[in-house]
């Protein structure tokens, strides 16, 4: 199975909240399966200063081989790569939507999105069936008594696609921490959904979510819990679910999307490595 690699070009930019930009791209090539399942992960590759588009190796069957070819590009020319969730594919087209959380010029992706305009070009690696879960999300959710999706604003694109995939009759909860009331987004689903918005209003990232888990009561029965957001907060939430609420580890899917005061270019911490080993195990 070939790891898909293509170039994408900005078609439109829409500020859907004060701190979130939704960018519509047109891809040069796009597999038919892209956009067919929720929570599809991809990597965007940003050009270096002076480049119109990033320099990228062609897709190949061996993902590690592709990554080695990527690392072989001289550092001054090697594109900066960041992970995102596919928000939506426009049916019957090669157009996709990706949401960017805008937090100033402190990060490569956010700084790019602040200035993004039609015609700007990026590289895209994935989404790929190589990284699809062995059991579809809707099937896992239907087997549980209830579903809880929790995270911060970086998790909202994935949460939205997961909720859209839920069938009727599923009891679902979404606990989302955002900067303030203006960052709320509409969440569509056929499930029986209860949404709890937590407004930081200057509090530390993850603090309100962690407090809600520690002080909140959960429904009875067997859950399926999906967690994503700042890595330290996700770690604390998972520990609380297991130790205080008695949720089996096997019923929790968790991912640290970002790290407070660290970027994806910084070396993984011991906690990051432990999380990776547990997810792979």
């Amino acid at each position: 199975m070939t790891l898909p690699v293509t170039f994408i070009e900005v078609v439109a930019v829409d500020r859907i909240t004060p701190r979130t930009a939704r960018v519509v791209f047109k891809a040069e090539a796009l597999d038919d399966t892209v956009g067919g399942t929720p929570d599809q992960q991809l990597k965007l590759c940003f050009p270096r200063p002076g480049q119109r588009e990033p320099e990228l190796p062609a897709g190949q069957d061996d993902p590690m081989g592709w990554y080695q070819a990527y690392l072989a590009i001289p550092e001054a020319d090697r594109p900066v790569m960041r992970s995102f969730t596919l928000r939506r594919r426009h049916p019957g087209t090669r157009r996709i939507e990706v949401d960017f959380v805008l937090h100033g010029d402190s990060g490569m992706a956010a700084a790019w999105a602040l200035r993004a305009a039609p015609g700007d070009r990026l590289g895209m690696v994935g989404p790929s069936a190589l990284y699809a879960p062995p059991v579809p999300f809707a099937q896992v959710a239907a087997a549980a008594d209830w579903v809880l999706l929790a995270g911060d604003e970086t998790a909202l694109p994935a949460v939205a696609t997961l909720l859209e995939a839920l069938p009727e009759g599923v009891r679902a909860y979404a606990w989302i921490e955002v900067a303030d009331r203006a960052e709320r987004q509409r969440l569509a689903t056929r499930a029986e959904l209860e949404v709890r918005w937590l407004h930081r209003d200057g509090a530390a990232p993850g603090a309100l979510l962690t407090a809600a888990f520690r002080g909140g009561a959960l429904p009875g029965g067997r859950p399926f819990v999906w967690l994503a957001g700042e890595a330290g907060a996700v770690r604390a939430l998972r520990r609380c679910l297991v130790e205080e609420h008695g949720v089996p580890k096997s019923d929790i899917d968790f991912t640290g999307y970002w790290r407070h005061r660290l970027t994806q270019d910084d070396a993984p911490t011991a906690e990051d490595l432990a999380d990776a080993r547990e997810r792979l195990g």
Side-chain angles (χ1 to χ4, degrees):
M1 184 179 296
T2 301
L3 181 67
V5 178
T6 190
F7 289 96
I8 57 178
E9 185 170 306
V10 175
V11 174
V13 181
D14 182 20
R15 188 70 66 87
I16 61 172
T17 74
R19 295 180 178 88
T20 304
R22 177 163 294 163
V23 182
V24 181
F25 295 97
K26 184 176 181 180
E28 289 186 356
L30 204 61
D31 188 270
D32 289 341
T33 62
V34 171
T37 57
D39 193 17
Q40 288 192 327
Q41 303 301 303
L42 54 86
K43 293 186 182 296
L44 296 182
C45 301
F46 297 83
R48 292 289 186 173
Q51 296 178 333
R52 181 175 181 269
E53 64 182 30
E55 180 180 337
L56 285 176
Q60 55 177 279
D61 293 337
D62 176 16
M64 287 307 300
W66 182 90
Y67 188 62
Q68 290 301 319
Y70 163 80
L71 292 177
I73 299 171
E75 187 173 358
D77 299 322
R78 188 187 311 144
V80 177
M81 189 156 52
R82 293 291 183 263
S83 300
F84 286 86
T85 301
L86 175 69
R87 178 60 187 89
R88 182 181 291 110
R89 178 181 185 166
H90 295 202
T93 74
R94 287 182 278 112
R95 293 193 177 195
I96 61 171
E97 296 176 3
V98 179
D99 290 354
F100 291 74
V101 177
L102 305 176
H103 48 79
D105 285 342
S106 58
M108 162 65 75
W112 178 89
L114 279 170
R115 302 170 180 82
D120 291 348
R121 288 170 65 81
L122 300 180
M124 184 173 76
V125 182
S128 174
L130 287 166
Y131 307 111
V135 181
F137 167 74
Q139 184 177 333
V140 173
D145 295 313
W146 51 275
V147 174
L148 171 61
L149 309 176
D152 57 27
E153 51 268 82
T154 64
L156 266 173
V159 168
T161 65
L162 291 166
L163 288 173
E164 290 166 357
L166 287 176
E168 293 181 3
V170 173
R171 187 165 42 141
Y173 303 86
W175 292 6
I176 310 295
E177 181 186 292
V178 293
D180 52 42
R181 189 177 187 86
E183 293 306 302
R184 294 186 180 196
Q185 297 182 26
R186 180 178 176 273
L187 299 172
T189 184
R190 293 168 294 170
E192 300 169 9
L193 175 64
E194 180 181 310
V195 183
R196 183 175 182 181
W197 293 98
L198 304 168
H199 306 143
R200 277 193 302 277
D201 292 324
L208 297 184
L209 259 181
T210 304
F213 271 64
R214 287 178 176 156
L218 300 181
R222 182 175 182 179
F224 174 74
V225 183
W226 183 95
L227 307 172
E230 198 280 322
V234 168
R235 198 173 293 121
L237 297 179
R238 182 170 176 265
R239 186 180 304 118
C240 179
L241 284 167
V242 173
E243 297 177 357
E244 298 182 28
H245 294 283
V247 177
K249 290 183 178 180
S250 59
D251 293 338
I252 305 172
D253 185 5
F254 67 103
T255 307
Y257 280 171
W258 62 284
R259 298 176 295 170
H260 195 41
R261 298 192 177 92
L262 294 173
T263 74
Q264 292 184 25
D265 299 321
D266 293 309
T269 64
E271 292 85 357
D272 295 332
L273 293 173
D275 288 348
R277 285 193 296 270
E278 187 150 2
R279 283 178 59 82
L280 291 173

